[in-house]
Amino acid sequence: MAYFIRRLAAAVPVLIGITFIAFALSVASPGDPAVELLSMNGFSQPTEEQIALKREEMGLNDPLLIQYGHWLSKALQGDLGTSYMTKESVSGELLRRLPATLSLSLLAVLFAVLLGVPSGMLMAIRRNRLFDHIGRALALILVSIPGFWLAIMLIALWSEKLQLLPTSGYGTWKHLLMPAAVLASGTGAILMRLTRAALLEELNKDYMLTARAKGLRESFIVLRHALRNACIPLLTVIGSYFGAIVGGSVIVEVIFAVPGIGRFAMDGIFRRDYPVIQGYVVFTGLIYVLFNLATDLCYGLAHPQIRLGGKLR
């Protein structure tokens, strides 16, 4: 419990910084929010008097710190403002679109782990053999391929030529396969190389010689001892990736027309919908921090020494 409280306390300044950055985006963005809102409400060329009244109504004439305080007070209550586009609550819109993004993210993480961890284990066990060379080359290729190009190639192959998967949309598991594969490709390759390197380091330590001297099977040694001790860097990548993918799937959601929070944010950026942009930054930042907290808890479960305040050697 003390370990969790320490990690939670460390996350509070990060969350405050995220809210400040989100508020600063609207201040630093070009254009006037009052003019944008009037334009979306049918005033194609609002007068100076209309702009002044709207700015007063929105509190834009107050000092920046007061504006930030009012906005932060509402944000802490779950009120991230009202979208200029949909006229709906930004919080409600983000929560409504969150299941699509989360389902895509979960499947992408599953693909990345299934690709990276077993392949990396086999590469470590069969180091400097054919499978190891092929795996390292494949990992380098996957890391180098741009996501948008891979998405277009998958659509051309599986949707246009083979006609096995839908090109876009959301509703069934088939709609998620290609976007999840695109999101998982780079991280899966990183996990392959990281798993291989971490296991090779563990397999060369003295306690592995002791385990082999006892007559234990190599597969048991790798799964029971080496993999657990090598999991800290893997947990770091997986946890950070899961948090980042929720806010970083914008391009993939746009290409595959997935109605997630990334596509909602992109529409808000194109239309200068400042409450949507602010809400998206705060929402995704909160999710990222929560997933990193979960990763820290996994550290403690994997290594009690960390949970008790010690350091790994």
Side-chain angles (χ1 to χ4, degrees), residues 119-132:
S119 300
M121 291 173 60
L122 289 175
M123 290 164 61
I125 295 173
R126 300 179 178 275
R127 56 188 176 277
N128 296 327
R129 298 182 185 177
L130 180 61
F131 185 86
D132 185 25

Side-chain angles (χ1 to χ4, degrees), residues 52-180:
L53 290 174
K54 180 58 67 173
R55 287 185 59 85
E56 185 66 30
E57 177 185 335
M58 298 174 66
L60 297 177
N61 294 328
D62 296 332
L64 292 179
L65 286 179
I66 294 178
Q67 292 183 45
Y68 173 67
H70 290 162
W71 179 81
L72 180 60
S73 176
K74 292 181 179 179
L76 291 175
Q77 301 175 43
D79 182 8
L80 296 175
T82 302
S83 170
Y84 299 165
M85 298 182 296
T86 63
K87 313 301 181 186
E88 301 288 340
S89 167
V90 172
S91 302
E93 289 284 349
L94 290 172
L95 290 175
R96 183 173 65 84
R97 297 167 183 266
L98 182 61
T101 299
L102 280 183
S103 59
L104 177 60
S105 302
L106 284 169
L107 189 59
V109 171
L110 179 62
F111 283 174
V113 172
L114 292 178
L115 170 66
V117 177
S119 300
M121 291 173 60
L122 289 175
M123 290 164 61
I125 295 173
R126 300 179 178 275
R127 56 188 176 277
N128 296 327
R129 298 182 185 177
L130 180 61
F131 185 86
D132 185 25
H133 295 313
I134 294 176
R136 283 187 288 176
L138 178 62
L140 182 61
I141 293 172
L142 290 177
V143 168
S144 305
I145 293 177
F148 68 90
W149 182 87
L150 180 59
I152 295 172
M153 292 299 101
L154 290 178
I155 291 174
L157 175 61
W158 293 100
S159 298
E160 299 298 331
K161 187 173 182 179
L162 300 179
Q163 297 185 354
L164 294 176
L165 296 175
T167 58
S168 59
Y170 177 76
T172 66
W173 61 271
K174 289 185 177 181
H175 290 92
L176 297 176
L177 290 180
M178 287 195 294

Side-chain angles (χ1 to χ4, degrees), residues 26-37:
S26 64
V27 177
S29 298
D32 190 332
V35 175
E36 298 294 336
L37 184 57

Side-chain angles (χ1 to χ4, degrees), residues 25-45:
L25 285 175
S26 64
V27 177
S29 298
D32 190 332
V35 175
E36 298 294 336
L37 184 57
L38 287 171
S39 300
M40 291 184 181
N41 288 335
F43 297 90
S44 57
Q45 293 182 340

